[in-house]
Amino acid sequence: MSFSARIFVTLFIIFASEAKFLPKSRNGCRALLGDTLIKEIASYKNVKNEIFKYVLDGDFKHKTYDELAKFVDTFGARPSGSQVLEDSIDHMIQLTREEELNDIVTEELEVPHWIRGTEKVTMLEPRIKEIDVLGLGRSVNTPPEGITAEVVIVKNFEELSNLSNKDVDGKIVVYDPIFTTYGETVVYRSQGASKAAAKGAVASLVRSITPFSINTPHTGSQNYDDNIKKIPAGAISLEDADLLRRFYDRGEKIILNITMSSTYETKTSRNTIIDLKGTDHPEKLVIVSGHIDSWDVGQGAMDDGGGLFVSWAAPVILKRLNLRPKRTVRSIFWTAEELGLIGAYAYEEKHRNESHNINFIMESDEGTFAPLGLAVAGTQEARCIIAEILKLFKSINASTLVEDDSPGSDINVIIKNGIPGASLHNANERYFWFHHTEGDTMNVEDPDELDLCAAFWTAVAYIIADISIDIPR
Amino acid sequence: MSFSARIFVTLFIIFASEAKFLPKSRNGCRALLGDTLIKEIASYKNVKNEIFKYVLDGDFKHKTYDELAKFVDTFGARPSGSQVLEDSIDHMIQLTREEELNDIVTEELEVPHWIRGTEKVTMLEPRIKEIDVLGLGRSVNTPPEGITAEVVIVKNFEELSNLSNKDVDGKIVVYDPIFTTYGETVVYRSQGASKAAAKGAVASLVRSITPFSINTPHTGSQNYDDNIKKIPAGAISLEDADLLRRFYDRGEKIILNITMSSTYETKTSRNTIIDLKGTDHPEKLVIVSGHIDSWDVGQGAMDDGGGLFVSWAAPVILKRLNLRPKRTVRSIFWTAEELGLIGAYAYEEKHRNESHNINFIMESDEGTFAPLGLAVAGTQEARCIIAEILKLFKSINASTLVEDDSPGSDINVIIKNGIPGASLHNANERYFWFHHTEGDTMNVEDPDELDLCAAFWTAVAYIIADISIDIPR
């Protein structure tokens, strides 16, 4: 083989092997971006290093964790519509002002305030056993004496639809889907009650949406169909769901008493908007965000305290380092995410006329474990630019770009209008172990991982806000 | 190098590398046992294979899991002194009789019956928060209105002893040791209350004895010192203990209200003894055992349902396969282990005169995950024999012998008298995640792992009961 032939084969192998790690659609990134832009992006290495040094080994070391811990310890759970949520918003504004970031706006909106009351499920047959339960958001009440009825168990909606109305009428439907992905499994939590009610069920329970449990029920939101009778809806642990399933498969009759109460009203809350104004294009926005409300169980440290604080940290770190990008870096603390992205919908509606100014929108709401990269929505060219930026984070193994057309929770409300955006992709294999449970506490958070996330989040936002071109749509 | 020199070097390498995996004291096993015994032990390969085939692929496949599930689902928690424990003992006797094993004896004894009542801990300062708590076994009550006092937190007994009595007097002591091993850490649960009371504390709480938590408190036994005032004692989750610690380290005053009630009386229970009589030396015993009682939280599936059922399975499988060893295989279901090895002490006392007949005593009380081998107490020669037997289980990776002078819970009461014995060594890395919690359920148990444990347990017991020599003391 000639020398040039060897080079050809070697290059072929290199590109072939690289192609394995890049999604097919980004093969042409190099041609699409051009050498000038690629070089420009690479030139941000020094700024990135400066940010990482300051956060990992400088004055900001463990600051994100420490402030998050003080915040979570002081306020605890921050349910939509509660006074404690408003107090926690005031705290974040004060904390930001102390950083001499004074471009802070809050925008009021109406939010649901659903307050959990008594919740009790007792198995009466085949033997008496208390079953831990968490009502699902907006669940209606049972009568004070509860609902006592026989149980019918289904693995999925298909099994439910195969049952006759007579089989379900007057009964409690228990859904026991085995967790695959959150997206696939959560439909039994979010839609289960109305689908069961449509068949005549008097209440519905769902096996908690998690792959792991220490007899831990997981709450969450659910939506009633307007045209169908609203029935009480709750979540039980994997363990109790599987216990019911074993009885059911042995042909034993199961009778439960379900007692649930709650109150539901409307309150006023606020989205919080902090701007670090851009030097050249202050009207153009690179948004980082997390939600400040949490479920009423647990402490909302992981969901979404971590995302809130890395998004708070981004403008703070840039301000402290006197790094002012060309475009504005905007940090948004969404309110009332848990009961249906209420804050995000209000923001989208209020700012719809200026949506052309959103250059890129980011959210962290799936954990702040070790950062791995970004889950990105956008055109091929947009993804190519982000992929090129992510190459700067190889040393911390955060260069992965996941293609995801709906990468966030709140930000999907914006992204669905064709605006490019991304969610923090992180080592969150255990995220759903703690999600919406009493176990969502500071113990899930790690000071060093939070530092990595904060530094990564800040550097990515800075680079996108500062490069010479807008992220194309 | 000559041929003979090569052989020498090769053998040297083989033995040197083997020595790395064997404890130093067993280097001389081959010489100690002699070729005849080694060959005899190896000859049990066929019997072992027969047992494994029957359990893993034959009529007994998943029988251990299925019977355990029925047992646990029917009776649930089986606390010492309760009627449900006695009913569950009757069930085990009936289940055994159905296997035509009729050599069943129960021995009555007095056991403690401690019934948990109200348990509530509320943090009043620095903010109001409910703290999940589980009272520790035999804890005394608070007054009905509870005890309201300031908190002092210590990592260990040394920190407590360094405090003046004035620092502790009238306060609630919280121990927050970080889990290392169970043995090292559990002393703060078992001895913490009296040590705190000796300094004037009015109540004591311990960070749960576990390396992992989803806000999960772990109960357990504790012992009051007779000469010191008894104060209420409970366990809180890792998360809440760490929350208190953060407040404490920030210099914030912590005030808790602790309300605990319980009742304590004495009841009658039973140890259950099932014999598969030996053909040649029926008076000589190889004992397999587990405890049938459980804590009142969770379902007692892991602690010790699994150990109970693999020990039930041993004589059943041998009977079904018509394998009658020379010595008697005795299965014991200990009662009232959790409140202080009460059943084991009663058995030891009652059978002390015949203790020379106990050839070997085994217990499974640390999980029935995939078997890895045995933790063995005994002389060097005894351990050599067991190590040789364990070689038969290489194909399932269950050949590890751990040297442990106190390998069990109940059986330590017998072993401390110089009787050789062993505990099931298994892949129980997650055992303490579920131990003494509401998460001790069938979900921890795996049908295939239980089959491996049952087959291993049965084969080991058979071989020890059948070989030509007694296990030496």
Side-chain angles (χ1 to χ4, degrees):
Chain A
M1 191 152 59
S2 73
F3 187 65
S4 59
R6 272 191 204 175
I7 288 176
F8 178 79
V9 169
T10 307
L11 284 175
F12 181 77
I13 291 167
I14 288 169
F15 281 103
S17 74
E18 198 177 354
K20 284 182 201 164
F21 300 98
L22 282 174
K24 208 175 166 189
S25 62
R26 286 208 308 285
N27 279 349
C29 275
R30 189 164 293 227
L32 211 56
L33 301 186
D35 282 348
T36 314
L37 182 58
I38 288 173
K39 269 189 198 157
E40 186 199 332
I41 289 172
S43 76
Y44 282 97
K45 191 179 170 186
N46 291 341
V47 177
K48 186 235 27 167
N49 287 345
E50 185 185 352
I51 291 168
F52 270 72
K53 197 171 168 216
Y54 183 66
V55 176
L56 268 54
D57 295 315
D59 281 355
F60 219 77
K61 185 177 173 69
H62 292 181
K63 171 86 174 166
T64 312
Y65 178 91
D66 292 342
E67 290 297 342
L68 174 60
K70 274 188 246 169
F71 175 82
V72 167
D73 294 348
T74 303
F75 299 105
R78 306 167 300 281
S80 170
S82 67
Q83 185 55 46
V84 73
L85 172 59
E86 298 313 299
D87 293 344
S88 77
I89 292 170
D90 291 340
H91 171 92
M92 292 306 292
I93 293 169
Q94 180 56 29
L95 194 66
T96 309
R97 288 222 172 96
E98 284 166 18
E99 298 288 338
E100 291 166 29
L101 278 163
N102 292 310
D103 230 325
I104 308 172
V105 171
T106 58
E107 296 179 346
E108 289 195 349
L109 59 136
E110 299 300 289
V111 299
H113 186 42
W114 179 79
I115 310 176
R116 192 183 302 279
T118 304
E119 295 183 333
K120 191 169 156 67
V121 174
T122 307
M123 180 168 70
L124 302 174
E125 293 184 29
R127 72 165 159 101
I128 290 178
K129 182 185 184 296
E130 294 306 318
I131 304 235
D132 279 356
V133 67
L134 280 175
L136 301 181
R138 291 201 184 89
S139 173
V140 295
N141 295 350
T142 63
E145 72 279 13
I147 291 169
T148 299
E150 196 179 338
V151 162
V152 58
I153 309 186
V154 293
K155 273 248 144 349
N156 51 46
F157 291 138
E158 196 188 343
E159 278 189 23
L160 180 71
S161 70
N162 287 341
L163 293 172
S164 70
N165 286 18
K166 196 172 136 279
D167 291 332
V168 180
D169 194 49
K171 293 190 179 156
I172 296 164
V173 168
V174 174
Y175 295 95
D176 70 339
I178 301 303
F179 185 91
T180 51
T181 64
Y182 186 70
E184 266 182 19
T185 320
V186 76
V187 293
Y188 299 100
R189 189 194 77 203
S190 56
Q191 304 168 29
S194 286
K195 286 198 196 285
K199 284 270 192 179
V202 290
S204 89
L205 296 172
V206 63
R207 189 180 189 265
S208 286
I209 310 306
T210 180
F212 180 80
S213 172
I214 306 183
N215 203 47
T216 320
H218 293 234
T219 190
S221 64
Q222 58 98 33
N223 306 307
Y224 288 121
D225 188 320
D226 283 340
N227 305 315
I228 294 169
K229 191 185 170 198
K230 295 181 170 73
I231 59 172
I236 61 176
S237 70
L238 306 190
E239 290 90 334
D240 280 330
D242 294 351
L243 171 70
L244 297 182
R245 167 60 70 176
R246 287 193 301 275
F247 281 132
Y248 198 71
D249 284 351
R250 288 183 202 127
E252 298 195 58
K253 185 175 179 176
I254 305 167
I255 296 185
L256 302 182
N257 174 275
I258 302 182
T259 306
M260 284 174 57
S261 70
S262 57
T263 60
Y264 185 36
E265 53 187 328
T266 300
K267 294 272 187 177
T268 301
S269 185
R270 293 164 287 167
N271 284 325
T272 308
I273 299 166
I274 297 158
D275 281 355
L276 180 77
K277 290 288 186 208
T279 51
D280 297 14
H281 308 287
E283 78 288 0
K284 293 187 180 177
L285 303 173
V286 173
I287 298 174
V288 289
S289 65
H291 66 84
I292 189 162
D293 68 304
S294 76
W295 275 103
D296 55 339
V297 296
Q299 305 288 293
M302 179 189 82
D303 185 11
D304 182 26
L308 172 71
F309 268 79
V310 299
S311 296
W312 168 79
V316 169
I317 292 164
L318 295 178
K319 167 81 179 164
R320 285 181 172 214
L321 292 174
N322 203 22
L323 288 168
R324 291 278 297 274
K326 295 188 188 75
R327 295 173 196 78
T328 292
V329 170
R330 170 168 290 185
S331 182
I332 302 181
F333 310 151
W334 311 105
T335 194
E337 187 269 353
E338 294 294 5
L339 284 169
L341 319 176
I342 313 296
Y345 278 110
Y347 181 92
E348 193 279 329
E349 198 180 321
K350 189 178 175 74
H351 295 270
R352 197 171 292 163
N353 293 341
E354 329 142 39
S355 72
H356 55 278
N357 281 329
I358 303 178
N359 189 36
F360 200 69
I361 184 161
M362 291 156 65
E363 178 176 36
S364 166
D365 186 24
E366 288 163 38
T368 45
F369 303 92
L372 299 174
L374 293 172
V376 182
T379 62
Q380 193 190 346
E381 197 181 348
R383 282 176 173 154
C384 283
I385 295 169
I386 303 301
E388 200 60 36
I389 293 171
L390 288 177
K391 286 182 182 169
L392 291 163
F393 302 94
K394 272 191 181 152
S395 62
I396 60 154
N397 294 316
S399 292
T400 301
L401 187 149
V402 179
E403 301 193 344
D404 188 340
D405 294 334
S406 304
S409 43
D410 297 285
I411 61 170
N412 286 352
V413 172
I414 315 279
I415 284 174
K416 70 179 168 45
N417 299 333
I419 294 163
S423 178
L424 179 66
H425 173 47
N426 68 109
N428 63 356
E429 298 82 2
R430 288 189 177 181
Y431 181 77
F432 289 110
W433 294 23
F434 306 102
H435 182 246
H436 298 182
T437 76
E438 290 290 354
D440 180 347
T441 69
M442 280 309 293
N443 289 50
V444 180
E445 301 296 314
D446 176 84
D448 295 325
E449 289 177 346
L450 268 169
D451 279 350
L452 284 169
C453 287
F456 174 75
W457 209 230
T458 304
V460 167
Y462 178 84
I463 297 165
I464 299 174
D466 197 63
I467 51 175
S468 58
I469 60 156
D470 290 342
I471 304 295
R473 296 197 178 177
Chain B
M1 191 152 60
S2 73
F3 189 62
S4 59
R6 274 190 203 175
I7 288 176
F8 177 78
V9 170
T10 307
L11 283 176
F12 179 79
I13 291 165
I14 288 170
F15 279 104
S17 73
E18 196 175 355
K20 284 183 204 164
F21 300 98
L22 281 175
K24 206 175 168 190
S25 62
R26 287 208 307 285
N27 279 348
C29 274
R30 189 164 292 226
L32 209 58
L33 300 186
D35 282 350
T36 314
L37 182 57
I38 288 172
K39 269 189 196 156
E40 187 198 330
I41 289 172
S43 76
Y44 283 96
K45 190 179 171 185
N46 291 341
V47 177
K48 187 239 17 168
N49 286 345
E50 185 184 353
I51 291 168
F52 270 72
K53 195 170 170 215
Y54 183 66
V55 176
L56 269 56
D57 296 313
D59 282 355
F60 218 77
K61 185 178 174 68
H62 293 180
K63 170 86 173 166
T64 312
Y65 178 92
D66 291 343
E67 290 297 342
L68 173 60
K70 273 189 245 169
F71 175 82
V72 166
D73 294 348
T74 304
F75 299 104
R78 307 168 300 280
S80 170
S82 67
Q83 185 55 46
V84 73
L85 172 59
E86 298 313 299
D87 293 345
S88 77
I89 292 171
D90 290 341
H91 171 93
M92 291 307 293
I93 293 169
Q94 180 55 30
L95 193 67
T96 310
R97 286 221 174 96
E98 286 167 15
E99 298 288 337
E100 289 168 30
L101 277 163
N102 293 310
D103 230 325
I104 307 173
V105 171
T106 58
E107 296 179 346
E108 289 194 350
L109 58 136
E110 299 300 290
V111 300
H113 187 41
W114 179 80
I115 310 176
R116 193 183 303 279
T118 305
E119 295 182 334
K120 191 169 157 70
V121 174
T122 308
M123 181 167 69
L124 302 175
E125 291 184 29
R127 74 165 159 102
I128 290 178
K129 179 186 187 295
E130 295 305 317
I131 305 239
D132 278 357
V133 66
L134 280 174
L136 302 181
R138 290 200 186 89
S139 173
V140 295
N141 294 351
T142 63
E145 71 279 13
I147 291 170
T148 299
E150 195 180 337
V151 162
V152 57
I153 309 186
V154 294
K155 273 247 145 351
N156 51 46
F157 291 137
E158 197 188 342
E159 279 189 20
L160 180 70
S161 69
N162 288 340
L163 293 172
S164 70
N165 284 19
K166 197 173 135 280
D167 291 332
V168 181
D169 194 50
K171 294 190 178 155
I172 296 163
V173 168
V174 174
Y175 296 94
D176 69 340
I178 302 303
F179 186 89
T180 51
T181 64
Y182 186 70
E184 267 182 19
T185 319
V186 76
V187 293
Y188 299 99
R189 189 194 77 204
S190 57
Q191 304 167 30
S194 285
K195 285 196 197 286
K199 285 269 193 181
V202 291
S204 89
L205 296 172
V206 65
R207 189 179 189 265
S208 285
I209 310 305
T210 180
F212 179 81
S213 173
I214 305 182
N215 202 47
T216 322
H218 293 233
T219 191
S221 64
Q222 58 96 33
N223 306 307
Y224 287 121
D225 188 319
D226 283 341
N227 304 316
I228 293 171
K229 191 185 169 198
K230 295 181 170 75
I231 59 172
I236 61 176
S237 71
L238 306 191
E239 290 90 335
D240 280 330
D242 295 351
L243 171 69
L244 296 182
R245 166 59 73 176
R246 286 193 301 274
F247 281 132
Y248 198 70
D249 287 351
R250 289 183 202 127
E252 299 197 58
K253 187 174 177 178
I254 305 167
I255 296 186
L256 301 182
N257 174 274
I258 302 182
T259 306
M260 284 174 55
S261 69
S262 58
T263 59
Y264 187 37
E265 54 187 327
T266 300
K267 295 272 188 175
T268 301
S269 184
R270 294 163 287 168
N271 285 325
T272 307
I273 299 165
I274 298 157
D275 281 353
L276 180 78
K277 290 289 186 206
T279 52
D280 296 14
H281 308 288
E283 77 289 0
K284 293 187 181 178
L285 304 173
V286 172
I287 298 173
V288 289
S289 66
H291 65 86
I292 188 163
D293 69 304
S294 76
W295 275 104
D296 55 340
V297 295
Q299 305 288 293
M302 179 190 82
D303 185 12
D304 182 29
L308 171 72
F309 269 79
V310 298
S311 296
W312 169 79
V316 168
I317 292 164
L318 295 178
K319 167 80 179 164
R320 284 181 173 214
L321 291 175
N322 204 22
L323 288 168
R324 289 280 296 275
K326 295 187 189 75
R327 296 172 195 78
T328 291
V329 169
R330 170 169 289 184
S331 181
I332 303 181
F333 311 151
W334 311 104
T335 194
E337 188 269 351
E338 294 293 4
L339 284 169
L341 319 176
I342 314 296
Y345 278 110
Y347 181 90
E348 193 279 330
E349 196 180 322
K350 189 178 176 75
H351 296 269
R352 196 171 293 163
N353 293 340
E354 329 142 40
S355 71
H356 55 278
N357 280 330
I358 303 178
N359 188 38
F360 200 70
I361 183 162
M362 292 156 64
E363 179 175 34
S364 166
D365 186 23
E366 288 163 38
T368 45
F369 302 91
L372 299 174
L374 293 172
V376 182
T379 63
Q380 192 192 346
E381 196 180 349
R383 283 176 172 154
C384 283
I385 295 169
I386 303 302
E388 200 60 36
I389 293 170
L390 289 177
K391 287 181 182 171
L392 291 163
F393 302 94
K394 274 191 181 153
S395 63
I396 60 153
N397 294 316
S399 291
T400 301
L401 186 148
V402 178
E403 300 193 345
D404 188 340
D405 294 334
S406 304
S409 45
D410 297 284
I411 62 170
N412 286 353
V413 172
I414 316 277
I415 283 173
K416 70 178 168 50
N417 299 332
I419 294 164
S423 178
L424 178 66
H425 174 47
N426 67 109
N428 63 357
E429 297 82 1
R430 288 189 178 183
Y431 181 77
F432 289 110
W433 295 21
F434 307 103
H435 182 244
H436 298 182
T437 76
E438 290 290 355
D440 180 349
T441 68
M442 280 311 291
N443 289 51
V444 181
E445 302 295 315
D446 176 85
D448 294 325
E449 289 177 346
L450 267 169
D451 278 352
L452 284 168
C453 286
F456 174 75
W457 208 232
T458 304
V460 167
Y462 177 84
I463 297 165
I464 299 174
D466 197 63
I467 53 173
S468 59
I469 62 156
D470 290 342
I471 304 296
R473 297 194 178 180

Short mmCIF file of all heavy atoms in Angstrom, two decimals, chain B residues 249-266:
data_model
loop_
_atom_site.label_atom_id
_atom_site.label_comp_id
_atom_site.label_asym_id
_atom_site.label_seq_id
_atom_site.Cartn_x
_atom_site.Cartn_y
_atom_site.Cartn_z
N ASP B 249 -24.54 23.47 62.57
CA ASP B 249 -23.23 24.00 62.20
C ASP B 249 -23.29 25.48 61.83
O ASP B 249 -22.27 26.17 61.89
CB ASP B 249 -22.62 23.19 61.04
CG ASP B 249 -22.14 21.82 61.50
OD1 ASP B 249 -22.12 21.58 62.74
OD2 ASP B 249 -21.79 20.98 60.65
N ARG B 250 -24.50 25.95 61.44
CA ARG B 250 -24.65 27.38 61.17
C ARG B 250 -24.93 28.16 62.46
O ARG B 250 -25.17 29.36 62.42
CB ARG B 250 -25.82 27.60 60.19
CG ARG B 250 -25.56 27.17 58.78
CD ARG B 250 -26.76 27.52 57.88
NE ARG B 250 -26.79 26.68 56.69
CZ ARG B 250 -27.83 25.96 56.29
NH1 ARG B 250 -28.96 25.97 56.98
NH2 ARG B 250 -27.75 25.22 55.21
N GLY B 251 -24.96 27.42 63.58
CA GLY B 251 -25.17 28.10 64.86
C GLY B 251 -26.62 28.41 65.17
O GLY B 251 -26.92 29.20 66.06
N GLU B 252 -27.54 27.79 64.44
CA GLU B 252 -28.96 28.06 64.69
C GLU B 252 -29.48 27.14 65.79
O GLU B 252 -29.12 25.98 65.88
CB GLU B 252 -29.76 27.87 63.40
CG GLU B 252 -29.30 28.82 62.29
CD GLU B 252 -30.31 28.95 61.16
OE1 GLU B 252 -31.46 29.33 61.43
OE2 GLU B 252 -29.93 28.67 60.01
N LYS B 253 -30.32 27.71 66.64
CA LYS B 253 -30.91 26.96 67.74
C LYS B 253 -32.02 26.05 67.18
O LYS B 253 -32.89 26.53 66.44
CB LYS B 253 -31.50 27.95 68.74
CG LYS B 253 -32.02 27.34 70.02
CD LYS B 253 -32.42 28.48 70.98
CE LYS B 253 -33.01 27.94 72.26
NZ LYS B 253 -33.32 29.06 73.18
N ILE B 254 -31.96 24.79 67.54
CA ILE B 254 -32.96 23.83 67.05
C ILE B 254 -33.82 23.37 68.22
O ILE B 254 -33.28 22.91 69.25
CB ILE B 254 -32.29 22.60 66.41
CG1 ILE B 254 -31.32 23.01 65.30
CG2 ILE B 254 -33.33 21.62 65.88
CD1 ILE B 254 -30.39 21.89 64.85
N ILE B 255 -35.12 23.49 68.07
CA ILE B 255 -36.03 22.99 69.11
C ILE B 255 -36.97 21.98 68.47
O ILE B 255 -37.58 22.23 67.43
CB ILE B 255 -36.82 24.14 69.76
CG1 ILE B 255 -35.81 25.06 70.49
CG2 ILE B 255 -37.86 23.60 70.75
CD1 ILE B 255 -36.44 26.16 71.29
N LEU B 256 -37.05 20.83 69.12
CA LEU B 256 -37.93 19.76 68.65
C LEU B 256 -39.00 19.48 69.69
O LEU B 256 -38.76 19.62 70.90
CB LEU B 256 -37.15 18.45 68.42
CG LEU B 256 -35.99 18.43 67.44
CD1 LEU B 256 -35.42 17.01 67.36
CD2 LEU B 256 -36.43 18.91 66.06
N ASN B 257 -40.15 19.05 69.20
CA ASN B 257 -41.12 18.39 70.07
C ASN B 257 -41.17 16.92 69.67
O ASN B 257 -41.37 16.60 68.49
CB ASN B 257 -42.52 19.02 69.93
CG ASN B 257 -43.55 18.23 70.72
OD1 ASN B 257 -44.11 17.26 70.23
ND2 ASN B 257 -43.79 18.64 71.95
N ILE B 258 -40.96 16.05 70.64
CA ILE B 258 -41.01 14.60 70.39
C ILE B 258 -42.16 14.01 71.19
O ILE B 258 -42.22 14.19 72.41
CB ILE B 258 -39.70 13.90 70.85
CG1 ILE B 258 -38.49 14.51 70.12
CG2 ILE B 258 -39.78 12.40 70.63
CD1 ILE B 258 -37.18 13.83 70.49
N THR B 259 -43.06 13.36 70.48
CA THR B 259 -44.17 12.67 71.14
C THR B 259 -44.12 11.20 70.76
O THR B 259 -44.14 10.87 69.57
CB THR B 259 -45.52 13.29 70.72
OG1 THR B 259 -45.48 14.69 70.97
CG2 THR B 259 -46.67 12.67 71.49
N MET B 260 -43.98 10.35 71.75
CA MET B 260 -43.91 8.91 71.48
C MET B 260 -44.71 8.16 72.52
O MET B 260 -44.63 8.46 73.72
CB MET B 260 -42.44 8.42 71.51
CG MET B 260 -41.65 8.81 70.27
SD MET B 260 -39.88 8.36 70.42
CE MET B 260 -40.02 6.61 70.78
N SER B 261 -45.47 7.17 72.04
CA SER B 261 -46.15 6.28 72.98
C SER B 261 -46.02 4.86 72.49
O SER B 261 -45.84 4.61 71.30
CB SER B 261 -47.62 6.67 73.09
OG SER B 261 -48.29 6.35 71.89
N SER B 262 -46.09 3.94 73.42
CA SER B 262 -46.02 2.51 73.09
C SER B 262 -46.49 1.74 74.29
O SER B 262 -46.64 2.30 75.38
CB SER B 262 -44.58 2.11 72.74
OG SER B 262 -43.72 2.41 73.83
N THR B 263 -46.76 0.46 74.08
CA THR B 263 -47.07 -0.40 75.22
C THR B 263 -46.10 -1.57 75.21
O THR B 263 -45.54 -1.92 74.15
CB THR B 263 -48.51 -0.96 75.14
OG1 THR B 263 -48.62 -1.71 73.92
CG2 THR B 263 -49.54 0.16 75.16
N TYR B 264 -45.90 -2.12 76.36
CA TYR B 264 -44.89 -3.17 76.49
C TYR B 264 -45.40 -4.22 77.47
O TYR B 264 -45.70 -3.91 78.62
CB TYR B 264 -43.58 -2.54 76.99
CG TYR B 264 -42.40 -3.47 77.02
CD1 TYR B 264 -42.21 -4.43 76.04
CD2 TYR B 264 -41.45 -3.40 78.05
CE1 TYR B 264 -41.13 -5.28 76.06
CE2 TYR B 264 -40.35 -4.25 78.08
CZ TYR B 264 -40.19 -5.18 77.09
OH TYR B 264 -39.13 -6.04 77.12
N GLU B 265 -45.50 -5.44 77.00
CA GLU B 265 -45.90 -6.53 77.90
C GLU B 265 -45.19 -7.81 77.47
O GLU B 265 -44.41 -7.81 76.52
CB GLU B 265 -47.42 -6.70 77.89
CG GLU B 265 -47.99 -6.90 76.49
CD GLU B 265 -49.53 -6.90 76.46
OE1 GLU B 265 -50.16 -7.35 77.43
OE2 GLU B 265 -50.08 -6.47 75.44
N THR B 266 -45.45 -8.87 78.17
CA THR B 266 -44.82 -10.15 77.86
C THR B 266 -45.87 -11.13 77.33
O THR B 266 -46.99 -11.16 77.83
CB THR B 266 -44.14 -10.73 79.13
OG1 THR B 266 -43.16 -9.79 79.56
CG2 THR B 266 -43.46 -12.05 78.84
#
